[in-house]
Amino acid sequence: QAILEIGPGEGVIRNVMKDFTERYDVLDVNPKLNPTYEGDVRNFIDKASGKYDCVIAADILEHIPFEDLETALKNLHTYLLPGGTALITIPHRSHYFFWMTSLNHKPRIVRIPTLKRLFTGRASIDLDHQWEVGDGRHSAKDVEQKMKNAGFKIEKRRKLIYVDF
């Protein structure tokens, strides 16, 4: 199997997955990371077309303008082999409350959407993000539509601690 990771960051996913695949390639804008493909996710890379069983984009799509999301998703879809899988995470702007009691040692987590942007007028998980699901302008349904327009079939969507999809 062949995996393409977009924006590997510190290489956490690669370090976990590399022993379970025949080929692990990387696409990134930073040449210092020695990516297999140097470039922006919005720019189509012909050499990567139809080569991968799995494409991973973990917390990178929110770094590009929402208007460019569909183009980036179309590129990711094109890099997949027929029947391939994309694993995509996108931050969801919310607040979380976590608690445990001495009576029941089971942790509880409650997700509360961010209702108001305070102080700077911009509440964000990361100030480098151009957008986030739940930011008051972009809903999960908006992102799902872009994914469908790009050719993806959403098989499973899970809400994790701070990400969707």
Side-chain angles (χ1 to χ4, degrees):
Q1 288 198 353
I3 296 174
L4 174 64
E5 183 180 3
I6 315 300
E10 296 168 5
V12 173
I13 297 172
R14 181 180 193 163
N15 288 334
V16 170
M17 299 295 292
K18 68 182 177 185
D19 293 334
F20 300 100
T21 186
E22 294 171 18
R23 190 170 86 227
Y24 198 100
D25 292 336
V26 170
L27 165 66
D28 201 282
V29 295
N30 186 349
K32 292 180 183 177
L33 296 176
N34 297 316
T36 311
Y37 308 104
E38 185 181 333
D40 188 300
V41 69
R42 295 170 285 185
N43 299 326
F44 179 71
I45 298 170
D46 189 51
K47 292 179 187 177
S49 185
K51 289 188 174 181
Y52 297 94
D53 299 288
C54 180
V55 172
I56 301 171
D59 291 7
I60 62 105
L61 295 173
E62 67 279 358
H63 291 272
I64 63 172
F66 190 77
E67 299 75 35
D68 295 340
L69 178 62
E70 195 168 319
T71 297
L73 288 167
K74 284 180 181 177
N75 290 341
L76 298 183
H77 189 270
T78 304
Y79 302 150
L80 288 169
L81 288 163
T85 300
L87 304 173
I88 299 171
T89 60
I90 300 172
H92 190 127
R93 187 176 302 169
S94 297
H95 292 291
Y96 296 88
F97 292 99
F98 172 86
W99 77 92
M100 287 176 43
T101 67
S102 59
L103 300 175
N104 181 358
H105 296 283
K106 185 177 178 182
R108 305 273 187 214
I109 299 173
V110 175
R111 180 177 180 169
I112 300 172
T114 301
L115 299 176
K116 205 164 202 168
R117 298 176 192 159
L118 302 173
F119 307 114
T120 65
R122 184 173 179 210
S124 180
I125 293 168
D126 182 327
L127 294 177
D128 290 329
H129 292 180
Q130 300 285 318
W131 60 278
E132 292 165 357
V133 175
D135 65 4
R137 295 175 296 147
H138 309 96
S139 69
K141 286 183 181 183
D142 296 334
V143 175
E144 286 178 358
Q145 189 58 55
K146 298 267 187 197
M147 288 179 170
K148 289 175 184 174
N149 292 348
F152 285 107
K153 174 186 168 200
I154 300 170
E155 292 183 11
K156 191 174 203 179
R157 178 175 169 241
R158 291 183 48 193
K159 291 182 180 181
L160 303 173
I161 291 294
Y162 82 97
V163 298
D164 276 357
F165 298 97

